[in-house]
PDB file of all heavy atoms in Angstrom:
ATOM      1  N   PHE I   8     200.270  -0.545  98.754  1.00 95.00           N
ATOM      2  CA  PHE I   8     200.768  -1.102 100.014  1.00 95.00           C
ATOM      3  C   PHE I   8     201.640  -0.109 100.785  1.00 95.00           C
ATOM      4  O   PHE I   8     202.291  -0.464 101.754  1.00 95.00           O
ATOM      5  CB  PHE I   8     201.554  -2.395  99.756  1.00 95.00           C
ATOM      6  CG  PHE I   8     200.721  -3.469  99.135  1.00 95.00           C
ATOM      7  CD1 PHE I   8     200.842  -3.761  97.787  1.00 95.00           C
ATOM      8  CD2 PHE I   8     199.801  -4.189  99.891  1.00 95.00           C
ATOM      9  CE1 PHE I   8     200.075  -4.756  97.206  1.00 95.00           C
ATOM     10  CE2 PHE I   8     199.025  -5.184  99.317  1.00 95.00           C
ATOM     11  CZ  PHE I   8     199.161  -5.464  97.969  1.00 95.00           C
ATOM     12  N   GLY I   9     201.670   1.132 100.301  1.00 94.00           N
ATOM     13  CA  GLY I   9     202.409   2.174 101.013  1.00 94.00           C
ATOM     14  C   GLY I   9     203.814   2.435 100.504  1.00 94.00           C
ATOM     15  O   GLY I   9     204.539   3.220 101.101  1.00 94.00           O
ATOM     16  N   PHE I  10     204.204   1.797  99.426  1.00 96.00           N
ATOM     17  CA  PHE I  10     205.517   2.035  98.838  1.00 96.00           C
ATOM     18  C   PHE I  10     205.431   3.183  97.845  1.00 96.00           C
ATOM     19  O   PHE I  10     204.385   3.426  97.260  1.00 96.00           O
ATOM     20  CB  PHE I  10     206.038   0.796  98.112  1.00 96.00           C
ATOM     21  CG  PHE I  10     206.124  -0.428  98.971  1.00 96.00           C
ATOM     22  CD1 PHE I  10     205.262  -1.491  98.777  1.00 96.00           C
ATOM     23  CD2 PHE I  10     207.072  -0.512  99.978  1.00 96.00           C
ATOM     24  CE1 PHE I  10     205.339  -2.624  99.573  1.00 96.00           C
ATOM     25  CE2 PHE I  10     207.157  -1.635 100.780  1.00 96.00           C
ATOM     26  CZ  PHE I  10     206.292  -2.697 100.578  1.00 96.00           C
ATOM     27  N   GLU I  11     206.536   3.876  97.660  1.00 97.00           N
ATOM     28  CA  GLU I  11     206.648   4.829  96.561  1.00 97.00           C
ATOM     29  C   GLU I  11     207.379   4.097  95.444  1.00 97.00           C
ATOM     30  O   GLU I  11     208.405   3.472  95.678  1.00 97.00           O
ATOM     31  CB  GLU I  11     207.464   6.055  96.984  1.00 97.00           C
ATOM     32  CG  GLU I  11     206.807   6.880  98.064  1.00 97.00           C
ATOM     33  CD  GLU I  11     207.726   7.978  98.536  1.00 97.00           C
ATOM     34  OE1 GLU I  11     208.088   8.860  97.729  1.00 97.00           O
ATOM     35  OE2 GLU I  11     208.100   7.946  99.729  1.00 97.00           O
ATOM     36  N   ILE I  12     206.850   4.184  94.248  1.00 98.00           N
ATOM     37  CA  ILE I  12     207.438   3.467  93.124  1.00 98.00           C
ATOM     38  C   ILE I  12     207.759   4.459  92.008  1.00 98.00           C
ATOM     39  O   ILE I  12     206.902   5.245  91.598  1.00 98.00           O
ATOM     40  CB  ILE I  12     206.486   2.382  92.572  1.00 98.00           C
ATOM     41  CG1 ILE I  12     206.049   1.406  93.684  1.00 98.00           C
ATOM     42  CG2 ILE I  12     207.128   1.648  91.407  1.00 98.00           C
ATOM     43  CD1 ILE I  12     207.161   0.575  94.289  1.00 98.00           C
ATOM     44  N   PHE I  13     208.992   4.396  91.532  1.00 98.00           N
ATOM     45  CA  PHE I  13     209.426   5.205  90.402  1.00 98.00           C
ATOM     46  C   PHE I  13     209.764   4.262  89.255  1.00 98.00           C
ATOM     47  O   PHE I  13     210.420   3.238  89.471  1.00 98.00           O
ATOM     48  CB  PHE I  13     210.658   6.042  90.761  1.00 98.00           C
ATOM     49  CG  PHE I  13     210.343   7.180  91.684  1.00 98.00           C
ATOM     50  CD1 PHE I  13     210.209   6.972  93.045  1.00 98.00           C
ATOM     51  CD2 PHE I  13     210.160   8.459  91.190  1.00 98.00           C
ATOM     52  CE1 PHE I  13     209.904   8.013  93.892  1.00 98.00           C
ATOM     53  CE2 PHE I  13     209.853   9.512  92.023  1.00 98.00           C
ATOM     54  CZ  PHE I  13     209.717   9.289  93.385  1.00 98.00           C
ATOM     55  N   ILE I  14     209.312   4.614  88.080  1.00 98.00           N
ATOM     56  CA  ILE I  14     209.577   3.808  86.888  1.00 98.00           C
ATOM     57  C   ILE I  14     210.704   4.485  86.112  1.00 98.00           C
ATOM     58  O   ILE I  14     210.611   5.676  85.777  1.00 98.00           O
ATOM     59  CB  ILE I  14     208.322   3.684  86.003  1.00 98.00           C
ATOM     60  CG1 ILE I  14     207.146   3.125  86.812  1.00 98.00           C
ATOM     61  CG2 ILE I  14     208.618   2.831  84.777  1.00 98.00           C
ATOM     62  CD1 ILE I  14     207.399   1.777  87.466  1.00 98.00           C
ATOM     63  N   GLY I  15     211.772   3.743  85.870  1.00 97.00           N
ATOM     64  CA  GLY I  15     212.884   4.313  85.139  1.00 97.00           C
ATOM     65  C   GLY I  15     214.027   3.342  84.970  1.00 97.00           C
ATOM     66  O   GLY I  15     214.029   2.251  85.521  1.00 97.00           O
ATOM     67  N   ASN I  16     215.012   3.801  84.228  1.00 97.00           N
ATOM     68  CA  ASN I  16     216.184   3.004  83.879  1.00 97.00           C
ATOM     69  C   ASN I  16     217.359   3.434  84.745  1.00 97.00           C
ATOM     70  O   ASN I  16     217.791   4.581  84.695  1.00 97.00           O
ATOM     71  CB  ASN I  16     216.500   3.231  82.394  1.00 97.00           C
ATOM     72  CG  ASN I  16     217.671   2.429  81.909  1.00 97.00           C
ATOM     73  OD1 ASN I  16     218.493   1.948  82.686  1.00 97.00           O
ATOM     74  ND2 ASN I  16     217.769   2.294  80.603  1.00 97.00           N
ATOM     75  N   GLN I  17     217.887   2.519  85.522  1.00 96.00           N
ATOM     76  CA  GLN I  17     218.973   2.840  86.439  1.00 96.00           C
ATOM     77  C   GLN I  17     220.264   3.231  85.731  1.00 96.00           C
ATOM     78  O   GLN I  17     221.165   3.788  86.359  1.00 96.00           O
ATOM     79  CB  GLN I  17     219.216   1.692  87.420  1.00 96.00           C
ATOM     80  CG  GLN I  17     219.958   0.511  86.816  1.00 96.00           C
ATOM     81  CD  GLN I  17     220.129  -0.632  87.777  1.00 96.00           C
ATOM     82  OE1 GLN I  17     219.410  -1.597  87.697  1.00 96.00           O
ATOM     83  NE2 GLN I  17     221.071  -0.526  88.694  1.00 96.00           N
ATOM     84  N   SER I  18     220.358   2.987  84.440  1.00 95.00           N
ATOM     85  CA  SER I  18     221.548   3.376  83.680  1.00 95.00           C
ATOM     86  C   SER I  18     221.464   4.799  83.151  1.00 95.00           C
ATOM     87  O   SER I  18     222.410   5.291  82.550  1.00 95.00           O
ATOM     88  CB  SER I  18     221.746   2.442  82.486  1.00 95.00           C
ATOM     89  OG  SER I  18     221.940   1.124  82.917  1.00 95.00           O
ATOM     90  N   ASN I  19     220.350   5.462  83.384  1.00 96.00           N
ATOM     91  CA  ASN I  19     220.084   6.763  82.801  1.00 96.00           C
ATOM     92  C   ASN I  19     220.285   7.888  83.821  1.00 96.00           C
ATOM     93  O   ASN I  19     219.550   7.981  84.803  1.00 96.00           O
ATOM     94  CB  ASN I  19     218.647   6.775  82.273  1.00 96.00           C
ATOM     95  CG  ASN I  19     218.293   8.011  81.528  1.00 96.00           C
ATOM     96  OD1 ASN I  19     218.582   9.114  81.966  1.00 96.00           O
ATOM     97  ND2 ASN I  19     217.633   7.843  80.404  1.00 96.00           N
ATOM     98  N   LYS I  20     221.281   8.740  83.594  1.00 97.00           N
ATOM     99  CA  LYS I  20     221.562   9.845  84.516  1.00 97.00           C
ATOM    100  C   LYS I  20     220.363  10.762  84.686  1.00 97.00           C
ATOM    101  O   LYS I  20     220.089  11.236  85.795  1.00 97.00           O
ATOM    102  CB  LYS I  20     222.776  10.640  84.043  1.00 97.00           C
ATOM    103  CG  LYS I  20     223.128  11.772  84.997  1.00 97.00           C
ATOM    104  CD  LYS I  20     224.298  12.582  84.509  1.00 97.00           C
ATOM    105  CE  LYS I  20     224.699  13.714  85.398  1.00 97.00           C
ATOM    106  NZ  LYS I  20     223.790  14.209  86.394  1.00 97.00           N
ATOM    107  N   SER I  21     219.624  11.020  83.619  1.00 98.00           N
ATOM    108  CA  SER I  21     218.436  11.886  83.709  1.00 98.00           C
ATOM    109  C   SER I  21     217.401  11.303  84.660  1.00 98.00           C
ATOM    110  O   SER I  21     216.743  12.038  85.402  1.00 98.00           O
ATOM    111  CB  SER I  21     217.810  12.089  82.332  1.00 98.00           C
ATOM    112  OG  SER I  21     218.697  12.754  81.484  1.00 98.00           O
ATOM    113  N   PHE I  22     217.256   9.973  84.640  1.00 98.00           N
ATOM    114  CA  PHE I  22     216.340   9.330  85.586  1.00 98.00           C
ATOM    115  C   PHE I  22     216.754   9.641  87.010  1.00 98.00           C
ATOM    116  O   PHE I  22     215.943  10.036  87.847  1.00 98.00           O
ATOM    117  CB  PHE I  22     216.265   7.813  85.379  1.00 98.00           C
ATOM    118  CG  PHE I  22     215.605   7.130  86.538  1.00 98.00           C
ATOM    119  CD1 PHE I  22     214.231   7.164  86.683  1.00 98.00           C
ATOM    120  CD2 PHE I  22     216.373   6.521  87.524  1.00 98.00           C
ATOM    121  CE1 PHE I  22     213.619   6.581  87.786  1.00 98.00           C
ATOM    122  CE2 PHE I  22     215.780   5.932  88.629  1.00 98.00           C
ATOM    123  CZ  PHE I  22     214.394   5.956  88.760  1.00 98.00           C
ATOM    124  N   TRP I  23     218.045   9.449  87.307  1.00 98.00           N
ATOM    125  CA  TRP I  23     218.525   9.683  88.669  1.00 98.00           C
ATOM    126  C   TRP I  23     218.386  11.152  89.073  1.00 98.00           C
ATOM    127  O   TRP I  23     218.020  11.455  90.207  1.00 98.00           O
ATOM    128  CB  TRP I  23     219.978   9.221  88.819  1.00 98.00           C
ATOM    129  CG  TRP I  23     220.079   7.734  88.836  1.00 98.00           C
ATOM    130  CD1 TRP I  23     220.642   6.937  87.883  1.00 98.00           C
ATOM    131  CD2 TRP I  23     219.593   6.845  89.850  1.00 98.00           C
ATOM    132  NE1 TRP I  23     220.539   5.613  88.248  1.00 98.00           N
ATOM    133  CE2 TRP I  23     219.902   5.539  89.453  1.00 98.00           C
ATOM    134  CE3 TRP I  23     218.932   7.043  91.056  1.00 98.00           C
ATOM    135  CZ2 TRP I  23     219.565   4.424  90.217  1.00 98.00           C
ATOM    136  CZ3 TRP I  23     218.595   5.930  91.824  1.00 98.00           C
ATOM    137  CH2 TRP I  23     218.913   4.643  91.399  1.00 98.00           C
ATOM    138  N   ASP I  24     218.664  12.072  88.156  1.00 98.00           N
ATOM    139  CA  ASP I  24     218.510  13.499  88.462  1.00 98.00           C
ATOM    140  C   ASP I  24     217.067  13.807  88.850  1.00 98.00           C
ATOM    141  O   ASP I  24     216.812  14.494  89.846  1.00 98.00           O
ATOM    142  CB  ASP I  24     218.931  14.357  87.264  1.00 98.00           C
ATOM    143  CG  ASP I  24     220.422  14.328  86.997  1.00 98.00           C
ATOM    144  OD1 ASP I  24     221.198  13.904  87.887  1.00 98.00           O
ATOM    145  OD2 ASP I  24     220.825  14.715  85.876  1.00 98.00           O
ATOM    146  N   GLU I  25     216.134  13.288  88.077  1.00 98.00           N
ATOM    147  CA  GLU I  25     214.717  13.521  88.373  1.00 98.00           C
ATOM    148  C   GLU I  25     214.308  12.834  89.677  1.00 98.00           C
ATOM    149  O   GLU I  25     213.593  13.402  90.506  1.00 98.00           O
ATOM    150  CB  GLU I  25     213.848  13.023  87.223  1.00 98.00           C
ATOM    151  CG  GLU I  25     212.376  13.315  87.425  1.00 98.00           C
ATOM    152  CD  GLU I  25     211.517  12.880  86.245  1.00 98.00           C
ATOM    153  OE1 GLU I  25     212.050  12.698  85.135  1.00 98.00           O
ATOM    154  OE2 GLU I  25     210.298  12.728  86.463  1.00 98.00           O
ATOM    155  N   PHE I  26     214.774  11.604  89.864  1.00 98.00           N
ATOM    156  CA  PHE I  26     214.453  10.852  91.077  1.00 98.00           C
ATOM    157  C   PHE I  26     214.887  11.624  92.321  1.00 98.00           C
ATOM    158  O   PHE I  26     214.097  11.858  93.229  1.00 98.00           O
ATOM    159  CB  PHE I  26     215.138   9.475  91.023  1.00 98.00           C
ATOM    160  CG  PHE I  26     215.016   8.689  92.289  1.00 98.00           C
ATOM    161  CD1 PHE I  26     213.842   8.016  92.588  1.00 98.00           C
ATOM    162  CD2 PHE I  26     216.076   8.623  93.183  1.00 98.00           C
ATOM    163  CE1 PHE I  26     213.724   7.285  93.778  1.00 98.00           C
ATOM    164  CE2 PHE I  26     215.973   7.896  94.360  1.00 98.00           C
ATOM    165  CZ  PHE I  26     214.797   7.229  94.657  1.00 98.00           C
ATOM    166  N   TYR I  27     216.161  12.035  92.372  1.00 98.00           N
ATOM    167  CA  TYR I  27     216.655  12.721  93.562  1.00 98.00           C
ATOM    168  C   TYR I  27     216.072  14.121  93.717  1.00 98.00           C
ATOM    169  O   TYR I  27     215.957  14.622  94.840  1.00 98.00           O
ATOM    170  CB  TYR I  27     218.188  12.731  93.587  1.00 98.00           C
ATOM    171  CG  TYR I  27     218.740  11.383  93.983  1.00 98.00           C
ATOM    172  CD1 TYR I  27     219.487  10.616  93.102  1.00 98.00           C
ATOM    173  CD2 TYR I  27     218.488  10.854  95.245  1.00 98.00           C
ATOM    174  CE1 TYR I  27     219.974   9.368  93.466  1.00 98.00           C
ATOM    175  CE2 TYR I  27     218.971   9.611  95.619  1.00 98.00           C
ATOM    176  CZ  TYR I  27     219.710   8.875  94.728  1.00 98.00           C
ATOM    177  OH  TYR I  27     220.182   7.645  95.100  1.00 98.00           O
ATOM    178  N   SER I  28     215.648  14.750  92.629  1.00 98.00           N
ATOM    179  CA  SER I  28     214.990  16.054  92.756  1.00 98.00           C
ATOM    180  C   SER I  28     213.633  15.899  93.438  1.00 98.00           C
ATOM    181  O   SER I  28     213.160  16.820  94.105  1.00 98.00           O
ATOM    182  CB  SER I  28     214.834  16.734  91.395  1.00 98.00           C
ATOM    183  OG  SER I  28     213.803  16.152  90.638  1.00 98.00           O
ATOM    184  N   LYS I  29     213.023  14.723  93.316  1.00 98.00           N
ATOM    185  CA  LYS I  29     211.717  14.471  93.939  1.00 98.00           C
ATOM    186  C   LYS I  29     211.825  13.930  95.358  1.00 98.00           C
ATOM    187  O   LYS I  29     211.019  14.287  96.208  1.00 98.00           O
ATOM    188  CB  LYS I  29     210.902  13.508  93.082  1.00 98.00           C
ATOM    189  CG  LYS I  29     210.453  14.131  91.775  1.00 98.00           C
ATOM    190  CD  LYS I  29     209.641  13.163  90.948  1.00 98.00           C
ATOM    191  CE  LYS I  29     209.207  13.841  89.657  1.00 98.00           C
ATOM    192  NZ  LYS I  29     208.517  12.924  88.756  1.00 98.00           N
ATOM    193  N   VAL I  30     212.798  13.056  95.608  1.00 98.00           N
ATOM    194  CA  VAL I  30     212.853  12.403  96.921  1.00 98.00           C
ATOM    195  C   VAL I  30     213.903  12.997  97.849  1.00 98.00           C
ATOM    196  O   VAL I  30     213.878  12.756  99.050  1.00 98.00           O
ATOM    197  CB  VAL I  30     213.069  10.874  96.813  1.00 98.00           C
ATOM    198  CG1 VAL I  30     211.995  10.239  95.967  1.00 98.00           C
ATOM    199  CG2 VAL I  30     214.444  10.524  96.315  1.00 98.00           C
ATOM    200  N   GLY I  31     214.831  13.771  97.326  1.00 98.00           N
ATOM    201  CA  GLY I  31     215.905  14.304  98.156  1.00 98.00           C
ATOM    202  C   GLY I  31     216.926  13.238  98.491  1.00 98.00           C
ATOM    203  O   GLY I  31     216.946  12.150  97.903  1.00 98.00           O
ATOM    204  N   ASN I  32     217.777  13.563  99.438  1.00 98.00           N
ATOM    205  CA  ASN I  32     218.795  12.601  99.858  1.00 98.00           C
ATOM    206  C   ASN I  32     218.151  11.445 100.606  1.00 98.00           C
ATOM    207  O   ASN I  32     217.064  11.581 101.168  1.00 98.00           O
ATOM    208  CB  ASN I  32     219.835  13.284 100.733  1.00 98.00           C
ATOM    209  CG  ASN I  32     220.752  14.189  99.947  1.00 98.00           C
ATOM    210  OD1 ASN I  32     220.524  14.449  98.769  1.00 98.00           O
ATOM    211  ND2 ASN I  32     221.777  14.689 100.588  1.00 98.00           N
TER     212      ASN I  32
END
């Protein structure tokens, strides 16, 4: 439907590091 979906645990710093490295600010 045009959404970008990331699978991960919001409590995990590594998830957030990877997420922001892909999507930017």
Side-chain angles (χ1 to χ4, degrees):
F8 298 104
F10 303 110
E11 295 174 62
I12 305 296
F13 288 81
I14 305 303
N16 182 341
Q17 76 183 102
S18 299
N19 186 314
K20 182 182 180 342
S21 297
F22 166 77
W23 287 112
D24 290 344
E25 184 177 340
F26 173 79
Y27 284 115
S28 75
K29 291 180 179 175
V30 304
N32 287 9

